[in-house]
Amino acid sequence: AQSVSQHNHHVILSEAASLELGCNYSYGGTVNLFWYVQYPGQHLQLLLKYFSGDPLVKGIKGFEAEFIKSKFSFNLRKPSVQWSDTAEYFCAVNAFSNQGGKLIFGQGTELSVKP
Amino acid sequence: NAGVTQTPKFRVLKTGQSMTLLCAQDMNHEYMYWYRQDPGMGLRLIHYSVGEGTTAKGEVPDGYNVSRLKKQNFLLGLESAAPSQTSVYFCASGQQTQYFGPGTRLLVL
């Protein structure tokens, strides 16, 4: 079965620190990869996505992610976090199958940024 | 465009009561989904639909039913609510990229 694993459940950083959140998936075929962010009390918003092409993807608010096919990974990065980045971050995979465009989500990583 | 909207925003039910959650989208998407979000478990797919009049089971379908009578609407029903169904429910639409609604917070006592 397809699965998505996020290694860090809770990350605490100070402002201006660099961020890297890990995401690994288990599926050997073609995948689309996503990072969503959920600010406190809000719905999920798309940060960035990878379908094909350049494996380094840039998203909104200074976030980027790198797809490394050989490692089945899609880690999220930001060089310098801000207090406003405090949120929960979800990695998701859309594995091509005959079951529609279903997303498989990781468990989420809660990021707390201290001012 | 409103995107994806959900009603109600919050509801409290007693065990055994029934209710329907409504999701509406104005993006003309064929695909729509219902997820539940629980702490430490991410989002799990309950049911989904690949077009008007079609529905299919997701990862955690038990205790829920759905209907897609109109392309823009996707309804999630709980026939007999249980405390285990206390959760936040998110609707989404879109195929390659999914867009999420604001969520419905449900508490079953």
Side-chain angles (χ1 to χ4, degrees):
Chain A
Q2 299 140 17
S3 66
V4 178
S5 177
Q6 291 181 238
H7 315 300
N8 312 101
H9 295 298
H10 192 188
V11 173
I12 302 173
L13 295 173
S14 297
E15 274 194 316
S18 64
L19 170 72
E20 180 159 4
L21 302 181
C23 173
N24 286 90
Y25 64 93
S26 65
Y27 184 71
T30 303
V31 293
N32 291 341
L33 298 156
F34 305 81
W35 276 98
Y36 284 87
V37 60
Q38 186 178 30
Y39 298 103
Q42 296 189 25
H43 64 287
L44 274 75
Q45 300 172 41
L46 183 66
L47 262 183
L48 49 78
K49 60 187 178 183
Y50 172 81
F51 287 172
S52 63
D54 188 343
L56 185 61
V57 180
K58 294 194 184 299
I60 60 172
K61 304 186 180 186
F63 286 92
E64 64 179 31
E66 185 175 13
F67 170 52
I68 303 179
K69 189 174 181 179
S70 60
K71 294 185 178 180
F72 298 91
S73 70
F74 190 55
N75 292 355
L76 180 71
R77 299 196 291 250
K78 186 172 184 179
S80 176
V81 295
Q82 302 172 316
W83 176 79
S84 57
D85 293 325
T86 294
E88 191 158 16
Y89 293 80
F90 293 94
C91 180
V93 172
N94 178 344
F96 286 97
S97 70
N98 61 354
Q99 296 180 332
K102 295 191 303 179
L103 283 178
I104 310 295
F105 281 86
Q107 308 93 315
T109 297
E110 187 178 344
L111 172 65
S112 300
V113 180
K114 298 185 292 184
Chain B
N1 287 355
V4 181
T5 58
Q6 293 181 232
T7 53
K9 288 186 172 58
F10 176 70
R11 185 78 183 267
V12 179
L13 289 180
K14 294 181 181 177
T15 296
Q17 286 185 317
S18 63
M19 78 164 294
T20 300
L21 284 67
L22 171 64
C23 175
Q25 53 98 2
D26 60 5
M27 296 176 281
N28 203 34
H29 288 153
E30 293 289 342
Y31 286 62
M32 295 186 74
Y33 312 82
W34 275 107
Y35 294 89
R36 60 178 289 174
Q37 182 182 27
D38 302 292
M41 302 186 78
L43 278 77
R44 294 179 292 168
L45 183 65
I46 304 171
H47 285 282
Y48 66 101
S49 168
V50 301
E52 182 179 318
T54 73
T55 63
K57 293 181 180 179
E59 185 185 355
V60 288
D62 294 342
Y64 305 95
N65 56 73
V66 288
S67 64
R68 184 96 182 270
L69 298 179
K70 292 183 180 181
K71 186 177 183 178
Q72 63 267 34
N73 295 337
F74 194 28
L75 278 64
L76 178 71
L78 286 74
E79 288 188 350
S80 179
S84 60
Q85 293 178 304
T86 292
S87 187
V88 182
Y89 292 86
F90 286 100
C91 176
S93 73
Q95 183 178 0
Q96 283 202 314
T97 300
Q98 292 184 25
Y99 299 92
F100 285 80
T104 295
R105 192 171 295 273
L106 176 64
L107 175 62
V108 183
L109 301 175

